[in-house]
Amino acid sequence: MKKKLLLCLVLLFSLGSAFILNAAQVNDSKELNELITKALSENKTIVLDRNRTYRIDKEIKPIQLKPGQQFSIEGNGAKINFVANTGNRESYLFHISSKDYNSTGSVSITNLHIEGAENPTQFAVRDYNKLRLAIPLFTERIFSVSMSNVSMRKIYGAGVRVNVFGQFSARNLDFKEVGGKWYTSNDYDSFGDAIYLGFARGDSQAIIENCHLEGYSATPFQGGFAQNLSRSAIVTEYNQKNLLNLSVSNCKLIGYHRSIHMEASRTALDVKNTEFNRFGCGVFVYGFEARDISIENSKFIDNVDAFFGGAKGVVTGFANNNKAVVTNSEVRSDAFWRENEMNVTYRSSQFKFNTYSRPSRASRFENCTFQTRANLGDDFGKMDNQSRTKKGNSLGTFIEDLVKALFG
């Protein structure tokens, strides 16, 4: 009797293991392709099953919208396990486009979680052609793209790529371990962004608010770039003639070589209430097209010793003559790097650092407070009479730091 019971238990365990194994191999690509085809033919929203997990390890067919057509996904809290194994260097979950440059089509994705845990991180890969990059959303020639309440985890490649657009909005995004970067500073610097906005058309607008965009942890080191920094949290590129008004508010940008990167881009950048954390360049501008920059009520924390284009620091640039105004903000880092710093006016801002590098241009400080062990020489910048300095090793400073750590 005991032997029969034991045999039954072994059999049940084996069947259970087989069920679990089969469940792990379930692929929902066909079902999702059918949902998309049906929704587009009927001009309806794609509604995913509430809180369901979909596993996608086969290609979702590229989606081409008709003139003025809408593509919408209501995620309902569902999760998509996205496996980037198409065999190409770049694998897309959703690749949506239209033929018309002046398309009036739109894409909307809400209430969805995308997981890439089955894809490897590849900081240490030295052969660019062997990279396998995951990109959950790629749109081309779509006028309006919006995302809200979307989270992503463990996406080595890029989170969102938007090319040729008129309006973009991202609200309440929660990205962690989203990015990546080639192992050297500049070679193949072509991936690793949380949000990429290219080729804005006409007078365009992008709004990014209440978003947490985070790359990879600094430790353990994974054999890539300094502190496992990913490329950029937000990128705008290649709209030399078309104005892009970019608003970033109430966001956290963590673990990116350039938190915001603007290249050959006529972008007017306005930042409010945003934290830049663990970065080489807080803002980096390449080219003369960008408009002047405004940053208010923001924090720059832990400026990593990591160059790009000869620049590292809070607001930097190369081959440009832009100006920036940083107001009511905080800079807190061991080193206040100022390599290729823009012509910046800092107003009513607080600084805490131990060392600084000599700035490339003549920035100005108005009504600012400096807590530092460094002696601020004539090379530091123009300082008005309202600005003041206190040494960082005083008892008062120690107590102030302790109170701030305990009570915020």
Side-chain angles (χ1 to χ4, degrees):
M1 185 69 179
K2 290 182 178 179
K3 288 183 179 180
K4 289 183 178 180
L5 180 60
L6 180 61
L7 183 61
C8 288
L9 289 172
V10 170
L11 182 60
L12 285 171
F13 178 80
S14 299
L15 289 171
S17 299
F19 176 79
I20 292 169
L21 180 62
N22 289 333
Q25 299 303 317
V26 166
N27 183 283
D28 299 300
S29 302
K30 181 180 179 182
E31 180 183 350
L32 190 52
N33 274 317
E34 290 173 350
L35 280 173
I36 291 170
T37 300
K38 189 173 188 297
L40 288 176
S41 67
E42 299 176 355
N43 290 316
K44 292 183 178 179
T45 296
I46 299 159
V47 181
L48 301 182
D49 294 342
R50 184 175 299 278
N51 298 324
R52 175 179 165 183
T53 296
Y54 295 78
R55 187 174 187 274
I56 305 298
D57 68 357
K58 303 294 183 184
E59 182 180 28
I60 298 298
K61 296 175 184 177
I63 301 158
Q64 189 168 95
L65 301 187
K66 298 175 182 177
Q69 192 170 21
Q70 298 181 352
F71 176 87
S72 300
I73 295 179
E74 169 50 62
N76 261 331
K79 178 170 77 171
I80 293 179
N81 286 336
F82 171 39
V83 185
N85 64 355
T86 61
N88 301 319
R89 186 190 306 125
E90 297 178 342
S91 294
Y92 308 112
L93 178 58
F94 299 113
H95 181 188
I96 309 164
S97 66
S98 69
K99 291 182 178 180
D100 183 12
Y101 176 88
N102 292 312
S103 163
T104 56
S106 66
V107 170
S108 172
I109 300 177
T110 61
N111 303 314
L112 181 64
H113 175 72
I114 300 172
E115 177 73 45
E118 294 187 53
N119 305 311
T121 56
Q122 300 160 72
F123 283 104
V125 173
R126 294 299 190 259
D127 186 342
Y128 186 69
N129 293 314
K130 290 183 178 179
L131 288 169
R132 293 295 177 261
L133 305 176
I135 304 172
L137 178 62
F138 178 33
T139 69
E140 298 179 283
R141 298 176 297 278
I142 302 296
F143 174 73
S144 174
V145 179
S146 67
M147 305 176 70
S148 64
N149 299 306
V150 174
S151 62
M152 294 187 190
R153 296 289 186 275
K154 299 183 183 300
I155 302 294
Y156 192 93
V160 180
R161 279 187 184 169
V162 177
N163 278 350
V164 187
F165 69 100
Q167 296 177 358
F168 174 80
S169 68
R171 292 180 168 90
N172 304 313
L173 304 189
D174 183 15
F175 290 6
K176 292 180 182 176
E177 292 187 298
V178 174
K181 195 177 187 306
W182 191 239
Y183 73 100
T184 60
S185 177
N186 296 308
D187 293 348
Y188 301 106
D189 188 63
S190 60
F191 68 94
D193 311 317
I195 297 174
Y196 176 93
L197 304 173
F199 306 95
R201 68 183 220 209
D203 287 344
S204 305
Q205 184 177 52
I207 298 173
I208 302 173
E209 63 182 18
N210 300 320
C211 292
H212 182 111
L213 307 178
E214 184 172 352
Y216 291 79
S217 172
T219 57
F221 181 60
Q222 300 189 52
F225 196 59
Q227 291 196 22
N228 302 319
L229 292 178
S230 292
R231 188 172 89 143
S232 298
I234 302 167
V235 175
T236 68
E237 285 186 330
Y238 309 134
N239 55 300
Q240 292 97 327
K241 296 181 180 180
N242 300 327
L243 177 64
L244 171 62
N245 290 293
L246 172 59
S247 171
V248 180
S249 61
N250 300 307
C251 292
K252 284 190 176 183
L253 315 176
I254 305 171
Y256 292 93
H257 191 201
R258 287 95 71 198
S259 303
I260 299 177
H261 175 107
M262 301 187 296
E263 180 174 341
S265 179
R266 189 169 172 241
T267 296
L269 175 63
D270 182 75
V271 179
K272 290 183 173 66
N273 302 306
T274 290
E275 180 180 311
F276 300 72
N277 199 314
R278 205 162 57 81
F279 60 90
C281 300
V283 176
F284 177 83
V285 178
Y286 182 89
F288 293 93
E289 295 84 1
R291 297 294 184 88
D292 291 346
I293 293 168
S294 173
I295 301 174
E296 298 179 31
N297 301 312
S298 295
K299 295 181 179 180
F300 297 85
I301 301 171
D302 190 11
N303 192 174
V304 178
D305 184 2
F307 276 108
F308 182 78
K312 58 182 173 182
V314 172
V315 185
T316 64
F318 183 79
N320 71 82
N321 55 5
N322 298 88
K323 297 179 181 179
V325 178
V326 178
T327 307
N328 293 320
S329 295
E330 178 182 359
V331 176
R332 180 160 30 103
S333 182
D334 179 61
F336 180 22
W337 297 111
R338 306 179 67 193
E339 313 293 335
N340 271 358
E341 182 180 63
M342 275 188 187
N343 188 338
V344 185
T345 299
Y346 296 96
R347 291 177 179 154
S348 303
S349 295
Q350 299 179 358
F351 296 80
K352 182 179 179 182
F353 56 88
N354 292 320
T355 62
Y356 72 93
S357 60
R358 183 174 180 176
S360 305
R361 305 176 194 180
S363 291
R364 181 175 178 81
F365 300 87
E366 299 175 357
N367 193 29
C368 294
T369 300
F370 302 90
Q371 184 176 320
T372 179
R373 293 181 174 87
N375 292 316
L376 307 185
D378 293 337
D379 62 353
F380 187 76
K382 299 177 182 179
M383 199 177 302
D384 68 2
N385 293 330
Q386 284 72 44
S387 296
R388 58 193 178 88
T389 304
K390 56 181 178 180
K391 290 298 181 181
N393 55 359
S394 67
L395 178 60
T397 297
F398 172 77
I399 294 172
E400 180 181 312
D401 287 347
L402 182 61
V403 170
K404 189 171 185 178
L406 291 174
F407 303 105

